[in-house]
Amino acid sequence: MAIASVIGGAIYLTSAQGKSISNNTAIAQDTNTATLTSVWDKETEPAYSGTTEMTVYRSPSCGCCGGWIEHAKQHGFKVKDIKTEDMAALKQKYKLPTELASCHTTIIDGYVMEGHIPVDDIKRFLSEKPELAGLTVPGMPIGTPGMEARNIKQPFQVLSFNDRGEVEIFKEYQSY
Amino acid sequence: MVKINRRQFIALGAAGVGTALIGNWLRQDISSQPLASSSANVFDVYQSSDGLLELDIIAKENPVNLTGRQAYLLTYNGQVPAPRLEANPGDKIRIHFANNLSQPTNIHYHGLHIPIMGNADNVFLHIKPGEKLTYEFQIPSNHPAGIFWYHPHLHGLVAEQLFGGLAGLFIVRGDLDEIPEVKAAKEEFLVLQDFAVDNNGRLINSAHMSLMMGREGDIITANGQVNPSLSLPEQGLLRLRILNASTSRFYRLALEDHSFYQIATDGGALNEPIEVNELLLTPGQRAEVLIKGDKEPRQYRLLNLPYDRGGMGMMGGGMMGRNNRDEPIVLATINYEAPGQSLSIPTQLASITALPEPQTVRSFELNHGMNPAVGMAFLINGEAYNHDRLDTQVQLDTVEDWEITNTGMMDHPFHVHGLAFQVISRNGQPESLLAWRDTVLVPRGETVRIRIPFRDFAGKTVYHCHVLDHEDLGMMGNLMINA
Ligand SMILES: [Cu+2]
């Protein structure tokens, strides 16, 4: 089990296999041409019968939000894609804590879905209809849907949060 | 705005094993009370003699005292920051380098105008663990005096190795040092670095850092110390020579009750000092300022003011790996010392002239996004770095204008290797200040036009974003200077 800790505004994702921390590894080494296949293409919630209409707010200059929208469409969501310059005001309006922010913000079924969340996790969450504000993948971890890179997969967690800004782990991805 | 419940987070953390990661380190509250530590003069210094600077440099992991605790950092000769090298124009440099790291590496001599091929400022060298290489080059006899520096530059590993601590000053002495007021001023160096280590003092794995934003650490140091003290002679001048050696962190400097008289940029002296209240240094940039000791003799704090370099469309950022962004951080404390020689700010420093009109104008667009070959990457003109591709070919002894536009959502400091350039305009507004630079900030949504004279050295080198995670993630291009 891994945890997220927020200290002084920073979120560090740490693994239970604490040993791995001292071993820094090379990132982004070679750049051969190869077709990218995404681990996120597979449908894991085929029985989902909830809302499929979502609104995605993103900055016109965001270079990765479009990738996530494609991921959502591929998994059966209908996306209303709204480009706005003022993402800060939008995130404030939906009371998203600064520490939990990512690039784009999605509204579905009254919930806030922040950043590059695997959409099948959104389906699981919506099926449960919890008394929470929504889900978030803070920051822009590389390897998440819409952020796939050929040779980097950063561990990440999907966090749930409520109106009081309290946070729990909804799902974690150590290796994927 | 809802406040995040930190207690909840920490309670969550206590349930796991990886928990207190950096908890103990943070209790040393670096953002509040100045508790000035000893002196800022911590460097080993190697100066050339009889026209030669020759030394051994070993890159290795080494235990280093970081905020009173042992941390295992990446070092040159066991030190963070690395030894300071000093040479004069015309000097020969011979560095016997040994790589005792667990990764391949090399050395880039940032800002020096020296050969870019062979065993000089060659970023394509690949020195394997356990291997040695002798760097040998000459500083041109007309080389400007200034603050330059050395650090690793093996693509893909640059951010990680710099963040481990591998960086040192390379000072070229010359005309600027001979101006009487500058010469009589008290000289101090300030190498700014940030670190992230766990409770055992081990560097935090890159996988857990915010690579997209560019990694930042919670431990912010000047000369390897948290809040060192420097002294300023009453009635005299302090000459502060500053390097941002951080991987991604920007520093927006201000000194309580004092202004800065900036006398030099990356590439050396300005024509005359300019008085500023703040100084923004992006990663890779250097600046020199004079500070007048004309205020009430007591302690003053050198502050790092908040700066938003973008990212998430949130006020102040809101990214993992970004800390203390709402409050100033004390970087160093400046103490008045006994009255020294009464000094005034010099009026004339150098005689930079404007460059001739360019033969060629090129455009560069900076952003990040999906690239068919590599996936998510940082891009220049839509391409992620490819070792085998020549992106830009120029002719030696020509002058070019490069118009660099940042269409993304984060700031990118643009650095060209081996050459100095002048900024011509920002967002179409002509730049009045004549200055030599090798790294210029291109803020998100903005355009900067620079003019580069390709002089003296032909060969292949690179230009890139100096947020080094962005560079490692593709925001770099190959530049061929044809003879
Ligand atoms: Cu950048």
Side-chain angles (χ1 to χ4, degrees), chain B residues 79-108:
Chain B
Q79 295 169 29
V80 172
R84 185 172 91 225
L85 313 184
E86 292 196 5
N88 302 307
D91 284 353
K92 276 206 160 58
I93 312 297
R94 196 175 296 134
I95 293 172
H96 305 282
F97 177 67
N99 178 14
N100 289 356
L101 302 170
S102 60
Q103 299 173 333
T105 191
N106 62 24
I107 299 180
H108 166 45

PDB file of all heavy atoms in Angstrom, chain B residues 79-108:
ATOM      1  N   GLN B  79      32.170  17.445  -2.745  1.00  0.00           N
ATOM      2  CA  GLN B  79      31.619  18.699  -2.246  1.00  0.00           C
ATOM      3  C   GLN B  79      30.364  19.174  -2.977  1.00  0.00           C
ATOM      4  O   GLN B  79      30.248  19.011  -4.174  1.00  0.00           O
ATOM      5  CB  GLN B  79      32.681  19.798  -2.359  1.00  0.00           C
ATOM      6  CG  GLN B  79      33.876  19.540  -1.470  1.00  0.00           C
ATOM      7  CD  GLN B  79      35.016  20.481  -1.786  1.00  0.00           C
ATOM      8  OE1 GLN B  79      34.800  21.587  -2.235  1.00  0.00           O
ATOM      9  NE2 GLN B  79      36.227  20.022  -1.542  1.00  0.00           N
ATOM     10  N   VAL B  80      29.481  19.792  -2.221  1.00  0.00           N
ATOM     11  CA  VAL B  80      28.290  20.454  -2.777  1.00  0.00           C
ATOM     12  C   VAL B  80      28.193  21.846  -2.170  1.00  0.00           C
ATOM     13  O   VAL B  80      28.081  21.969  -0.968  1.00  0.00           O
ATOM     14  CB  VAL B  80      27.009  19.652  -2.474  1.00  0.00           C
ATOM     15  CG1 VAL B  80      25.774  20.445  -2.875  1.00  0.00           C
ATOM     16  CG2 VAL B  80      27.036  18.319  -3.197  1.00  0.00           C
ATOM     17  N   PRO B  81      28.256  22.912  -2.967  1.00  0.00           N
ATOM     18  CA  PRO B  81      28.570  22.879  -4.395  1.00  0.00           C
ATOM     19  C   PRO B  81      30.013  22.443  -4.644  1.00  0.00           C
ATOM     20  O   PRO B  81      30.822  22.389  -3.720  1.00  0.00           O
ATOM     21  CB  PRO B  81      28.341  24.325  -4.843  1.00  0.00           C
ATOM     22  CG  PRO B  81      28.435  25.152  -3.612  1.00  0.00           C
ATOM     23  CD  PRO B  81      28.028  24.277  -2.466  1.00  0.00           C
ATOM     24  N   ALA B  82      30.288  22.162  -5.906  1.00  0.00           N
ATOM     25  CA  ALA B  82      31.598  21.655  -6.300  1.00  0.00           C
ATOM     26  C   ALA B  82      32.670  22.731  -6.135  1.00  0.00           C
ATOM     27  O   ALA B  82      32.355  23.907  -5.963  1.00  0.00           O
ATOM     28  CB  ALA B  82      31.519  21.215  -7.755  1.00  0.00           C
ATOM     29  N   PRO B  83      33.959  22.344  -6.178  1.00  0.00           N
ATOM     30  CA  PRO B  83      35.028  23.336  -6.083  1.00  0.00           C
ATOM     31  C   PRO B  83      34.852  24.454  -7.110  1.00  0.00           C
ATOM     32  O   PRO B  83      34.365  24.218  -8.216  1.00  0.00           O
ATOM     33  CB  PRO B  83      36.292  22.540  -6.391  1.00  0.00           C
ATOM     34  CG  PRO B  83      35.953  21.138  -6.049  1.00  0.00           C
ATOM     35  CD  PRO B  83      34.481  20.985  -6.332  1.00  0.00           C
ATOM     36  N   ARG B  84      35.245  25.657  -6.694  1.00  0.00           N
ATOM     37  CA  ARG B  84      35.183  26.803  -7.605  1.00  0.00           C
ATOM     38  C   ARG B  84      36.480  26.871  -8.400  1.00  0.00           C
ATOM     39  O   ARG B  84      37.563  26.822  -7.831  1.00  0.00           O
ATOM     40  CB  ARG B  84      35.010  28.091  -6.797  1.00  0.00           C
ATOM     41  CG  ARG B  84      34.825  29.317  -7.658  1.00  0.00           C
ATOM     42  CD  ARG B  84      34.456  30.520  -6.813  1.00  0.00           C
ATOM     43  NE  ARG B  84      35.609  31.280  -6.378  1.00  0.00           N
ATOM     44  CZ  ARG B  84      35.789  31.728  -5.137  1.00  0.00           C
ATOM     45  NH1 ARG B  84      34.921  31.464  -4.193  1.00  0.00           N
ATOM     46  NH2 ARG B  84      36.853  32.430  -4.825  1.00  0.00           N
ATOM     47  N   LEU B  85      36.351  26.958  -9.718  1.00  0.00           N
ATOM     48  CA  LEU B  85      37.519  27.047 -10.580  1.00  0.00           C
ATOM     49  C   LEU B  85      37.674  28.492 -11.031  1.00  0.00           C
ATOM     50  O   LEU B  85      36.690  29.171 -11.306  1.00  0.00           O
ATOM     51  CB  LEU B  85      37.370  26.132 -11.797  1.00  0.00           C
ATOM     52  CG  LEU B  85      36.899  24.701 -11.520  1.00  0.00           C
ATOM     53  CD1 LEU B  85      36.903  23.884 -12.824  1.00  0.00           C
ATOM     54  CD2 LEU B  85      37.777  24.014 -10.478  1.00  0.00           C
ATOM     55  N   GLU B  86      38.910  28.965 -11.091  1.00  0.00           N
ATOM     56  CA  GLU B  86      39.148  30.334 -11.547  1.00  0.00           C
ATOM     57  C   GLU B  86      40.289  30.365 -12.543  1.00  0.00           C
ATOM     58  O   GLU B  86      41.344  29.772 -12.314  1.00  0.00           O
ATOM     59  CB  GLU B  86      39.497  31.244 -10.356  1.00  0.00           C
ATOM     60  CG  GLU B  86      38.335  31.472  -9.417  1.00  0.00           C
ATOM     61  CD  GLU B  86      38.560  32.650  -8.469  1.00  0.00           C
ATOM     62  OE1 GLU B  86      39.600  33.342  -8.611  1.00  0.00           O
ATOM     63  OE2 GLU B  86      37.699  32.858  -7.604  1.00  0.00           O
ATOM     64  N   ALA B  87      40.051  31.057 -13.647  1.00  0.00           N
ATOM     65  CA  ALA B  87      41.080  31.158 -14.675  1.00  0.00           C
ATOM     66  C   ALA B  87      41.016  32.531 -15.315  1.00  0.00           C
ATOM     67  O   ALA B  87      40.079  33.301 -15.077  1.00  0.00           O
ATOM     68  CB  ALA B  87      40.878  30.069 -15.728  1.00  0.00           C
ATOM     69  N   ASN B  88      42.020  32.834 -16.123  1.00  0.00           N
ATOM     70  CA  ASN B  88      42.081  34.102 -16.845  1.00  0.00           C
ATOM     71  C   ASN B  88      41.942  33.828 -18.335  1.00  0.00           C
ATOM     72  O   ASN B  88      42.239  32.729 -18.805  1.00  0.00           O
ATOM     73  CB  ASN B  88      43.431  34.787 -16.593  1.00  0.00           C
ATOM     74  CG  ASN B  88      43.653  35.030 -15.107  1.00  0.00           C
ATOM     75  OD1 ASN B  88      42.822  35.620 -14.435  1.00  0.00           O
ATOM     76  ND2 ASN B  88      44.770  34.525 -14.590  1.00  0.00           N
ATOM     77  N   PRO B  89      41.509  34.844 -19.095  1.00  0.00           N
ATOM     78  CA  PRO B  89      41.495  34.677 -20.547  1.00  0.00           C
ATOM     79  C   PRO B  89      42.890  34.243 -21.028  1.00  0.00           C
ATOM     80  O   PRO B  89      43.906  34.717 -20.515  1.00  0.00           O
ATOM     81  CB  PRO B  89      41.159  36.087 -21.064  1.00  0.00           C
ATOM     82  CG  PRO B  89      40.405  36.723 -19.933  1.00  0.00           C
ATOM     83  CD  PRO B  89      41.027  36.173 -18.679  1.00  0.00           C
ATOM     84  N   GLY B  90      42.912  33.310 -21.973  1.00  0.00           N
ATOM     85  CA  GLY B  90      44.185  32.810 -22.494  1.00  0.00           C
ATOM     86  C   GLY B  90      44.707  31.580 -21.775  1.00  0.00           C
ATOM     87  O   GLY B  90      45.589  30.885 -22.279  1.00  0.00           O
ATOM     88  N   ASP B  91      44.176  31.282 -20.597  1.00  0.00           N
ATOM     89  CA  ASP B  91      44.678  30.142 -19.816  1.00  0.00           C
ATOM     90  C   ASP B  91      44.308  28.806 -20.456  1.00  0.00           C
ATOM     91  O   ASP B  91      43.267  28.667 -21.091  1.00  0.00           O
ATOM     92  CB  ASP B  91      44.102  30.156 -18.398  1.00  0.00           C
ATOM     93  CG  ASP B  91      44.754  31.201 -17.508  1.00  0.00           C
ATOM     94  OD1 ASP B  91      45.744  31.828 -17.946  1.00  0.00           O
ATOM     95  OD2 ASP B  91      44.259  31.389 -16.377  1.00  0.00           O
ATOM     96  N   LYS B  92      45.190  27.834 -20.238  1.00  0.00           N
ATOM     97  CA  LYS B  92      44.895  26.441 -20.600  1.00  0.00           C
ATOM     98  C   LYS B  92      44.235  25.755 -19.409  1.00  0.00           C
ATOM     99  O   LYS B  92      44.611  25.989 -18.261  1.00  0.00           O
ATOM    100  CB  LYS B  92      46.207  25.713 -20.924  1.00  0.00           C
ATOM    101  CG  LYS B  92      46.690  25.907 -22.336  1.00  0.00           C
ATOM    102  CD  LYS B  92      47.550  24.705 -22.760  1.00  0.00           C
ATOM    103  CE  LYS B  92      47.658  24.602 -24.266  1.00  0.00           C
ATOM    104  NZ  LYS B  92      48.233  25.827 -24.868  1.00  0.00           N
ATOM    105  N   ILE B  93      43.244  24.925 -19.714  1.00  0.00           N
ATOM    106  CA  ILE B  93      42.547  24.196 -18.659  1.00  0.00           C
ATOM    107  C   ILE B  93      42.761  22.705 -18.912  1.00  0.00           C
ATOM    108  O   ILE B  93      42.605  22.241 -20.052  1.00  0.00           O
ATOM    109  CB  ILE B  93      41.025  24.492 -18.684  1.00  0.00           C
ATOM    110  CG1 ILE B  93      40.738  25.991 -18.778  1.00  0.00           C
ATOM    111  CG2 ILE B  93      40.321  23.844 -17.493  1.00  0.00           C
ATOM    112  CD1 ILE B  93      41.204  26.837 -17.631  1.00  0.00           C
ATOM    113  N   ARG B  94      43.154  21.993 -17.886  1.00  0.00           N
ATOM    114  CA  ARG B  94      43.298  20.534 -18.016  1.00  0.00           C
ATOM    115  C   ARG B  94      42.629  19.888 -16.805  1.00  0.00           C
ATOM    116  O   ARG B  94      43.084  20.069 -15.675  1.00  0.00           O
ATOM    117  CB  ARG B  94      44.774  20.152 -18.100  1.00  0.00           C
ATOM    118  CG  ARG B  94      44.995  18.725 -18.609  1.00  0.00           C
ATOM    119  CD  ARG B  94      46.477  18.420 -18.788  1.00  0.00           C
ATOM    120  NE  ARG B  94      47.119  19.252 -19.806  1.00  0.00           N
ATOM    121  CZ  ARG B  94      48.297  19.869 -19.635  1.00  0.00           C
ATOM    122  NH1 ARG B  94      48.964  19.759 -18.503  1.00  0.00           N
ATOM    123  NH2 ARG B  94      48.812  20.603 -20.611  1.00  0.00           N
ATOM    124  N   ILE B  95      41.531  19.197 -17.051  1.00  0.00           N
ATOM    125  CA  ILE B  95      40.779  18.581 -15.954  1.00  0.00           C
ATOM    126  C   ILE B  95      40.805  17.072 -16.132  1.00  0.00           C
ATOM    127  O   ILE B  95      40.318  16.539 -17.129  1.00  0.00           O
ATOM    128  CB  ILE B  95      39.326  19.105 -15.924  1.00  0.00           C
ATOM    129  CG1 ILE B  95      39.329  20.597 -15.560  1.00  0.00           C
ATOM    130  CG2 ILE B  95      38.484  18.318 -14.927  1.00  0.00           C
ATOM    131  CD1 ILE B  95      37.970  21.279 -15.682  1.00  0.00           C
ATOM    132  N   HIS B  96      41.423  16.396 -15.168  1.00  0.00           N
ATOM    133  CA  HIS B  96      41.463  14.935 -15.202  1.00  0.00           C
ATOM    134  C   HIS B  96      40.209  14.453 -14.496  1.00  0.00           C
ATOM    135  O   HIS B  96      40.116  14.485 -13.273  1.00  0.00           O
ATOM    136  CB  HIS B  96      42.716  14.422 -14.499  1.00  0.00           C
ATOM    137  CG  HIS B  96      43.984  15.011 -15.054  1.00  0.00           C
ATOM    138  ND1 HIS B  96      44.541  14.566 -16.234  1.00  0.00           N
ATOM    139  CD2 HIS B  96      44.764  16.029 -14.628  1.00  0.00           C
ATOM    140  CE1 HIS B  96      45.636  15.282 -16.502  1.00  0.00           C
ATOM    141  NE2 HIS B  96      45.792  16.177 -15.541  1.00  0.00           N
ATOM    142  N   PHE B  97      39.242  14.042 -15.323  1.00  0.00           N
ATOM    143  CA  PHE B  97      37.930  13.708 -14.782  1.00  0.00           C
ATOM    144  C   PHE B  97      37.767  12.208 -14.634  1.00  0.00           C
ATOM    145  O   PHE B  97      38.127  11.447 -15.533  1.00  0.00           O
ATOM    146  CB  PHE B  97      36.836  14.269 -15.706  1.00  0.00           C
ATOM    147  CG  PHE B  97      35.444  13.902 -15.265  1.00  0.00           C
ATOM    148  CD1 PHE B  97      34.922  14.423 -14.084  1.00  0.00           C
ATOM    149  CD2 PHE B  97      34.661  13.040 -16.012  1.00  0.00           C
ATOM    150  CE1 PHE B  97      33.645  14.079 -13.660  1.00  0.00           C
ATOM    151  CE2 PHE B  97      33.380  12.690 -15.598  1.00  0.00           C
ATOM    152  CZ  PHE B  97      32.869  13.212 -14.418  1.00  0.00           C
ATOM    153  N   ALA B  98      37.224  11.783 -13.513  1.00  0.00           N
ATOM    154  CA  ALA B  98      36.912  10.371 -13.296  1.00  0.00           C
ATOM    155  C   ALA B  98      35.446  10.254 -12.917  1.00  0.00           C
ATOM    156  O   ALA B  98      34.955  10.996 -12.065  1.00  0.00           O
ATOM    157  CB  ALA B  98      37.786   9.799 -12.186  1.00  0.00           C
ATOM    158  N   ASN B  99      34.743   9.337 -13.572  1.00  0.00           N
ATOM    159  CA  ASN B  99      33.333   9.111 -13.263  1.00  0.00           C
ATOM    160  C   ASN B  99      33.185   7.936 -12.305  1.00  0.00           C
ATOM    161  O   ASN B  99      33.243   6.789 -12.714  1.00  0.00           O
ATOM    162  CB  ASN B  99      32.539   8.850 -14.539  1.00  0.00           C
ATOM    163  CG  ASN B  99      31.081   8.556 -14.228  1.00  0.00           C
ATOM    164  OD1 ASN B  99      30.608   8.788 -13.111  1.00  0.00           O
ATOM    165  ND2 ASN B  99      30.367   8.038 -15.220  1.00  0.00           N
ATOM    166  N   ASN B 100      32.998   8.226 -11.038  1.00  0.00           N
ATOM    167  CA  ASN B 100      32.739   7.170 -10.058  1.00  0.00           C
ATOM    168  C   ASN B 100      31.266   7.120  -9.653  1.00  0.00           C
ATOM    169  O   ASN B 100      30.928   6.659  -8.576  1.00  0.00           O
ATOM    170  CB  ASN B 100      33.624   7.360  -8.815  1.00  0.00           C
ATOM    171  CG  ASN B 100      35.091   7.040  -9.134  1.00  0.00           C
ATOM    172  OD1 ASN B 100      35.416   6.608 -10.241  1.00  0.00           O
ATOM    173  ND2 ASN B 100      35.969   7.258  -8.167  1.00  0.00           N
ATOM    174  N   LEU B 101      30.421   7.642 -10.543  1.00  0.00           N
ATOM    175  CA  LEU B 101      28.978   7.521 -10.311  1.00  0.00           C
ATOM    176  C   LEU B 101      28.519   6.152 -10.796  1.00  0.00           C
ATOM    177  O   LEU B 101      29.266   5.436 -11.470  1.00  0.00           O
ATOM    178  CB  LEU B 101      28.213   8.606 -11.098  1.00  0.00           C
ATOM    179  CG  LEU B 101      28.556  10.066 -10.826  1.00  0.00           C
ATOM    180  CD1 LEU B 101      27.881  10.969 -11.851  1.00  0.00           C
ATOM    181  CD2 LEU B 101      28.141  10.455  -9.413  1.00  0.00           C
ATOM    182  N   SER B 102      27.270   5.805 -10.517  1.00  0.00           N
ATOM    183  CA  SER B 102      26.735   4.538 -11.026  1.00  0.00           C
ATOM    184  C   SER B 102      26.100   4.714 -12.402  1.00  0.00           C
ATOM    185  O   SER B 102      25.529   3.782 -12.948  1.00  0.00           O
ATOM    186  CB  SER B 102      25.708   3.987 -10.032  1.00  0.00           C
ATOM    187  OG  SER B 102      24.656   4.922  -9.893  1.00  0.00           O
ATOM    188  N   GLN B 103      26.168   5.916 -12.944  1.00  0.00           N
ATOM    189  CA  GLN B 103      25.576   6.216 -14.254  1.00  0.00           C
ATOM    190  C   GLN B 103      26.631   6.862 -15.140  1.00  0.00           C
ATOM    191  O   GLN B 103      27.559   7.478 -14.639  1.00  0.00           O
ATOM    192  CB  GLN B 103      24.453   7.250 -14.109  1.00  0.00           C
ATOM    193  CG  GLN B 103      23.297   6.850 -13.248  1.00  0.00           C
ATOM    194  CD  GLN B 103      22.342   8.019 -13.035  1.00  0.00           C
ATOM    195  OE1 GLN B 103      22.757   9.173 -13.093  1.00  0.00           O
ATOM    196  NE2 GLN B 103      21.086   7.707 -12.805  1.00  0.00           N
ATOM    197  N   PRO B 104      26.425   6.812 -16.474  1.00  0.00           N
ATOM    198  CA  PRO B 104      27.300   7.591 -17.345  1.00  0.00           C
ATOM    199  C   PRO B 104      27.072   9.086 -17.125  1.00  0.00           C
ATOM    200  O   PRO B 104      26.016   9.490 -16.638  1.00  0.00           O
ATOM    201  CB  PRO B 104      26.865   7.174 -18.750  1.00  0.00           C
ATOM    202  CG  PRO B 104      25.484   6.642 -18.586  1.00  0.00           C
ATOM    203  CD  PRO B 104      25.406   6.064 -17.206  1.00  0.00           C
ATOM    204  N   THR B 105      28.066   9.885 -17.486  1.00  0.00           N
ATOM    205  CA  THR B 105      27.936  11.323 -17.310  1.00  0.00           C
ATOM    206  C   THR B 105      28.901  12.027 -18.262  1.00  0.00           C
ATOM    207  O   THR B 105      29.561  11.386 -19.094  1.00  0.00           O
ATOM    208  CB  THR B 105      28.196  11.720 -15.832  1.00  0.00           C
ATOM    209  OG1 THR B 105      27.830  13.079 -15.626  1.00  0.00           O
ATOM    210  CG2 THR B 105      29.662  11.535 -15.459  1.00  0.00           C
ATOM    211  N   ASN B 106      28.974  13.332 -18.156  1.00  0.00           N
ATOM    212  CA  ASN B 106      29.971  14.152 -18.843  1.00  0.00           C
ATOM    213  C   ASN B 106      29.944  15.524 -18.196  1.00  0.00           C
ATOM    214  O   ASN B 106      29.210  15.730 -17.227  1.00  0.00           O
ATOM    215  CB  ASN B 106      29.716  14.215 -20.363  1.00  0.00           C
ATOM    216  CG  ASN B 106      28.385  14.855 -20.692  1.00  0.00           C
ATOM    217  OD1 ASN B 106      27.838  15.628 -19.907  1.00  0.00           O
ATOM    218  ND2 ASN B 106      27.841  14.543 -21.863  1.00  0.00           N
ATOM    219  N   ILE B 107      30.746  16.462 -18.712  1.00  0.00           N
ATOM    220  CA  ILE B 107      30.742  17.812 -18.133  1.00  0.00           C
ATOM    221  C   ILE B 107      30.462  18.839 -19.223  1.00  0.00           C
ATOM    222  O   ILE B 107      31.063  18.811 -20.296  1.00  0.00           O
ATOM    223  CB  ILE B 107      32.079  18.157 -17.442  1.00  0.00           C
ATOM    224  CG1 ILE B 107      32.375  17.181 -16.290  1.00  0.00           C
ATOM    225  CG2 ILE B 107      32.041  19.585 -16.886  1.00  0.00           C
ATOM    226  CD1 ILE B 107      33.689  17.463 -15.562  1.00  0.00           C
ATOM    227  N   HIS B 108      29.537  19.726 -18.912  1.00  0.00           N
ATOM    228  CA  HIS B 108      29.245  20.885 -19.770  1.00  0.00           C
ATOM    229  C   HIS B 108      29.789  22.123 -19.056  1.00  0.00           C
ATOM    230  O   HIS B 108      29.574  22.298 -17.866  1.00  0.00           O
ATOM    231  CB  HIS B 108      27.733  20.986 -19.978  1.00  0.00           C
ATOM    232  CG  HIS B 108      27.263  22.294 -20.539  1.00  0.00           C
ATOM    233  ND1 HIS B 108      27.878  22.925 -21.605  1.00  0.00           N
ATOM    234  CD2 HIS B 108      26.226  23.097 -20.184  1.00  0.00           C
ATOM    235  CE1 HIS B 108      27.220  24.057 -21.873  1.00  0.00           C
ATOM    236  NE2 HIS B 108      26.228  24.185 -21.029  1.00  0.00           N
TER     237      HIS B 108
END
